[in-house]
Amino acid sequence: MSERKPLPQVMIDRSNAEPAVAKPSLPLNEYAGVYNDAWYGPATIRLENAGLVFTLDHTPKAIADLQIWEYDTFKAHWRDHTIEDAFVTFALKPVGRVDHFTMVAVSPLADFSFDYQDLYFTPVKAAEKK
C-alpha cells in the first residue's frame, strides 16, 4: 500500500486561513432576510447576538454562524460539524442592496454531496413571503 502524501500547501492554507480585516460593504442587518434557490428552496439569514445566523430551511441541522471573512464574503461555520463549512459570497446591486449570494465549500476536499457551488440564492420579495 502506498503512503498517504501530504496535502498541497494551498489546500491546507485555504482551510486554516484567517479572515481579512476588510469589513462588509453593508451593515449586517442588510444581509438578513429570506432567500430562495430554484433547486433547494428557502434559506434564512437573521441577525442574532450582533452576528448573522444562516439556515437552510429544508435541512433542520443546517444552521451556521456566519463569520465576516472579507468584504461581502462570510464563512459559514455549521453548528453540526458533520456539514462542511462554506464560504457565502454576496453580490450587490449598484444601489447597494443584495442581488444574490453563492456558496463554495471551504475545503477543496469536501465531499461532492456538498454541492454548494450549484446554489444561487436570491432575496425573496415581501409579496412572495405571504
Side-chain angles (χ1 to χ4, degrees), residues 5-125:
K5 294 182 180 177
L7 292 174
Q9 192 61 39
V10 69
M11 291 181 182
I12 295 168
D13 290 346
R14 185 172 171 191
S15 293
N16 297 323
E18 291 295 320
V21 293
K23 303 269 190 260
S25 301
L26 304 173
L28 291 183
N29 65 317
E30 294 292 320
Y31 297 95
V34 177
Y35 295 83
N36 191 64
D37 172 76
W39 174 78
Y40 176 81
T44 302
I45 297 175
R46 67 183 186 280
L47 201 56
E48 183 178 289
N49 299 324
L52 293 173
V53 175
F54 173 51
T55 57
L56 292 170
D57 296 354
H58 291 308
T59 310
K61 292 185 176 184
I63 302 168
D65 297 296
L66 294 181
Q67 174 189 11
I68 298 168
W69 197 254
E70 183 173 67
Y71 298 107
D72 298 310
T73 297
F74 297 77
K75 187 175 182 182
H77 295 281
W78 300 102
R79 293 177 183 176
D80 178 342
H81 297 287
T82 64
I83 303 173
E84 291 280 348
D85 285 350
F87 288 117
V88 176
T89 301
F90 291 85
L92 304 181
K93 295 178 182 181
V95 295
R97 296 194 189 278
V98 173
D99 181 65
H100 68 275
F101 73 82
T102 57
M103 300 173 67
V104 64
V106 170
S107 172
L109 301 176
D111 186 287
F112 72 91
S113 63
F114 294 100
D115 53 357
Y116 299 132
Q117 71 283 351
D118 296 329
L119 302 173
Y120 187 92
F121 286 96
T122 56
V124 174
K125 294 177 180 65

